[in-house]
Amino acid sequence: MPSVPLPGEKVESVERTVAFQGYFRMARYLFRHSLYRGGLSGEVNREVFERGQAAAVLPYDPVRDEVVMIRQFRAGAFAAGRHPWCWEIVAGMIEDGETPEDVARREAVEEASVRILDLVPLYSLVLSPGACSETCNIFLGRIDTTGVGGIHGLESENEDILVQAMPFANARALLARDEIDNSAAVIALQWLALHRDELRSRWR
């Protein structure tokens, strides 16, 4: 759920221009915003990385107590000086006419070749609100992990995705060793750690 404004919080947009358009877009915003001490700020100039809206899903088999994790090369991790192959959960961008639930189900098939049987909404987040407009709706998806694994992804998008079904305990161990370092995966796995017994009881 979006953040609820406190009394007096408002922003006045002055101008928006596209500073760069390539594979991604960077826009320049000029605005004024209310101040807690009263009045308005001066004009503030900020560049914002406009990424769009995403959906992510952690596929989970409550009978086998297994999650499906994917691993692929990430340019952002490379630029940050980290190992650029990352353990992640299934995710993708929301296209025109799609709901977040549609994307979670579609990407589960495209990236991991799994079919979502049921979806539980977890959180709707702004991933990096100081610099990026990208939002992400995170879900947990019920699946059957029988036969799940291998290398998947769309060739048209140059995807080379390693897919592994693993016991939840193994995924939690990866978290404990700091081997999962992207926010959607950390959030979904931590949520599952808190609600796993309840879900397994409901979905058995």
Side-chain angles (χ1 to χ4, degrees):
M1 174 173 187
S3 178
V4 177
L6 297 179
E9 291 180 334
K10 63 180 182 179
V11 60
E12 293 181 0
S13 180
V14 176
E15 185 181 41
R16 174 191 175 276
T17 57
V18 175
F20 173 79
Q21 178 68 62
Y23 184 76
F24 295 117
R25 180 173 63 235
M26 185 75 72
R28 183 173 291 113
Y29 286 82
L30 191 62
F31 57 87
R32 303 181 190 90
H33 63 80
S34 57
L35 301 171
Y36 289 120
R37 62 177 178 267
L40 285 177
S41 70
E43 289 188 351
V44 180
N45 189 340
R46 290 288 184 273
E47 288 79 31
V48 176
F49 177 39
E50 295 190 335
R51 180 77 167 95
Q53 296 184 322
V57 58
L58 172 62
Y60 176 61
D61 184 331
V63 176
R64 294 172 179 262
D65 196 24
E66 290 182 338
V67 295
V68 173
M69 302 296 296
I70 65 175
R71 190 171 175 89
Q72 58 186 318
F73 178 87
R74 288 306 201 184
F78 176 73
R82 291 174 173 262
H83 184 67
W85 279 268
C86 303
W87 285 116
E88 302 179 341
I89 61 175
V90 168
M93 302 308 295
I94 299 173
E95 307 285 348
D96 290 342
E98 285 187 312
T99 66
E101 291 82 1
D102 291 337
V103 175
R105 294 179 185 278
R106 171 173 60 77
E107 291 288 343
V109 173
E110 292 179 4
E111 293 191 342
S113 193
V114 297
R115 185 170 67 91
I116 301 293
L117 304 174
D118 195 7
L119 278 175
V120 176
L122 307 187
Y123 300 101
S124 178
L125 308 171
V126 184
L127 295 180
S128 185
C132 181
S133 66
E134 182 178 5
T135 63
C136 186
N137 290 271
I138 304 176
F139 298 90
L140 188 122
R142 179 186 178 187
I143 66 162
D144 178 356
T145 56
T146 304
V148 171
I151 300 170
H152 299 283
L154 296 180
E155 188 174 336
S156 60
E157 297 183 9
N158 297 311
E159 291 180 330
D160 177 55
I161 301 172
L162 177 67
V163 178
Q164 286 191 5
M166 63 180 71
F168 175 69
N170 291 17
R172 201 166 184 180
L174 288 173
L175 266 182
R177 295 196 301 268
D178 202 24
E179 293 186 37
I180 299 175
D181 59 0
N182 70 90
S183 58
V186 171
I187 289 165
L189 287 167
Q190 294 285 28
W191 188 94
L192 181 56
L194 292 173
H195 299 276
R196 181 166 143 265
D197 291 343
E198 170 197 338
L199 271 181
R200 296 193 77 195
S201 176
R202 187 201 314 174
W203 280 348
R204 275 187 180 272

